[in-house]
Structure formats: C-alpha cells, structure tokens
Amino acid sequence: MNNSKITQIRSERRDAAENRQRILNAAIELFEQNGVEQVSMNQIATEAKVGPGTLYRRYRSKSELCLDLIKDNVDQLFNDIETYLEQNHFDPPSRRLKGILSLFIHFRERKAQLLMGVEESSSTNSLRARMQSPLFNELHQLLLELFEEMNVSEETHYNSVFRADILLWALSRDFYSFQRDARGHSPEMILEQLCSIFILRNSQNT
C-alpha cells in the first residue's frame, strides 16, 4: 500500500472520529436542553453540522446513539454485577437476584434520560424492539440463570423464561416511569415490591 493511500485512510478515520464526537456532543447538549424524546435525529445532525446521511451511517436510530453515549456506563454496570456475583456466589439465588435488581434500579435512576433513549425502537418504539436490545438481552440471561437456580434450590417449577420476561417488563421505562411518576413509588419501594412478587417469602429470610 502506497503512502498516499495510507494518508487517505488515516484522514478518513480522523474525519469519522471527529464526526462521531461532534454528533455525541450535539446529542448531549440537545438532550440536556429538551429531553431525549423531544429531540429528532435531524435536529442532532443540524446541531452537529453533519449531513443526515453521515449521521445515519453511524447510527441507524436514536436508540443506537444513546447506547453509544452510555456504553461506558453500561459496561460498568455489568462489571459491577459481575463483581457482585463473584463476591456473593455463596448467597442463595434469591438474594443475588435482589442484589442485581438493586444495581439496575440505581443505574436506571442515574441514567434515566439516556436509558429511555436506548429503549426506543428505531421505527416503531415497540415493546419487542426494546426488550430485544443488547442491554436487556444480557440482563435477561442473568435473570434466567438465577430463576433456574431458584427452581432447583426451592424445588419449584416456574417457567424461568416467562418470569425473566415479566421482570424485565417491570424494569422497562413505561412500567418503571409509571410507578415512579404516577404512583409515587420510590426506587426502594419498587425494589421491595418486585422482590415480594418474584422471590418466595421463605427465600427472602434466608
């Protein structure tokens, strides 16, 4: 590969990195001013001074853009969960489940606006699209494994996939925001109510 080709590739990479940073900076500023839901992709492109094509080549949806903005925070969340599970691997699965729920609810409270954006579908904003996001897929797997453990340790026969689905729905933006804003429940109260539903009473005392 000749030097001019190498220079061109480096220039393209530099331009792409600069465009990405302009897009992210513009998105953060607009989100802080107006909220995630009120900001369109076209507004972000205009604020970042890039063409819509440039924006959509990097981010197919506002959901993907928001995920990039909080990627480091999401990585830290799962690092915290992994550390928690390693440090408490001798605890019963019901207690570990409560610990994971506590970590996620705390994360949702701190990153509410961006997480709301991540959960938006690129086109229909459907529940299926939100529940199949990478964030919720990874959480689903963790919950599924704990529910399977609970079935073994408590000699129950609940459908673990169904339970994980329902619990994730309860943690999704629509349900969680309704409980916080309309019902006036605190994060601590939501956590306790979820545990009372998904964890058997005798398990909560072990």
Side-chain angles (χ1 to χ4, degrees):
M1 186 179 295
N2 58 43
N3 289 336
S4 62
K5 187 66 173 177
I6 293 174
T7 301
Q8 180 183 355
I9 291 173
R10 287 175 177 172
S11 177
E12 289 173 351
R13 288 176 178 172
R14 184 173 61 252
D15 290 344
E18 290 174 354
N19 284 338
R20 174 181 176 272
Q21 195 56 54
R22 281 204 301 271
I23 291 168
L24 294 180
N25 290 343
I28 289 174
E29 184 174 347
L30 289 171
F31 291 162
E32 289 177 349
Q33 292 174 356
N34 307 292
V36 173
E37 289 186 311
Q38 283 67 46
V39 176
S40 70
M41 291 289 276
N42 284 338
Q43 286 177 290
I44 294 171
T46 300
E47 182 71 20
K49 295 181 174 57
V50 300
T54 300
L55 175 60
Y56 279 102
R57 276 194 297 273
R58 178 167 288 278
Y59 303 107
R60 292 174 298 177
S61 67
K62 191 164 54 174
S63 172
E64 287 189 359
L65 197 161
C66 288
L67 187 59
D68 195 9
L69 281 170
I70 65 167
K71 184 170 65 69
D72 290 342
N73 300 97
V74 171
D75 290 343
Q76 186 59 52
L77 167 67
F78 284 107
N79 286 339
D80 291 344
I81 289 175
E82 183 179 353
T83 299
Y84 169 81
L85 292 175
E86 289 176 353
Q87 293 176 345
N88 298 276
H89 65 279
F90 289 121
D91 285 351
S94 55
R95 186 173 296 172
R96 281 177 277 141
L97 175 63
K98 184 174 183 178
I100 288 178
L101 293 180
S102 179
L103 288 170
F104 182 76
I105 287 174
H106 181 64
F107 172 75
R108 174 171 280 291
E109 288 291 319
R110 289 188 296 110
K111 299 295 177 182
Q113 277 288 322
L114 287 179
L115 191 54
M116 183 182 297
V118 170
E119 291 174 296
E120 287 185 344
S121 165
S122 60
S123 56
T124 62
N125 195 26
S126 67
L127 178 62
R128 173 179 291 187
R130 281 181 272 143
M131 295 292 279
Q132 291 178 344
S133 69
L135 170 62
F136 276 78
N137 272 335
E138 192 160 348
L139 275 176
H140 188 279
Q141 185 59 38
L142 288 170
L143 297 177
L144 178 62
E145 291 171 1
L146 287 173
F147 281 135
E148 287 291 288
E149 279 192 62
M150 289 166 67
N151 275 339
V152 173
S153 64
E154 298 164 8
E155 298 183 351
T156 55
H157 303 282
Y158 295 118
N159 185 316
S160 298
V161 173
F162 183 81
R163 298 184 85 194
D165 286 343
I166 295 299
L167 182 49
L168 280 181
W169 176 76
L171 292 169
S172 67
R173 67 167 195 184
D174 293 337
F175 184 87
Y176 188 86
S177 297
F178 179 78
Q179 295 300 319
R180 285 285 276 126
D181 302 333
R183 298 302 189 200
H185 293 156
S186 67
E188 294 75 20
M189 185 179 297
I190 293 174
L191 173 63
E192 292 304 321
Q193 289 300 313
L194 289 176
C195 289
S196 71
I197 294 171
F198 289 96
I199 299 175
L200 296 178
R201 187 175 298 277
N202 60 343
S203 298
Q204 297 186 61
N205 298 322
T206 58

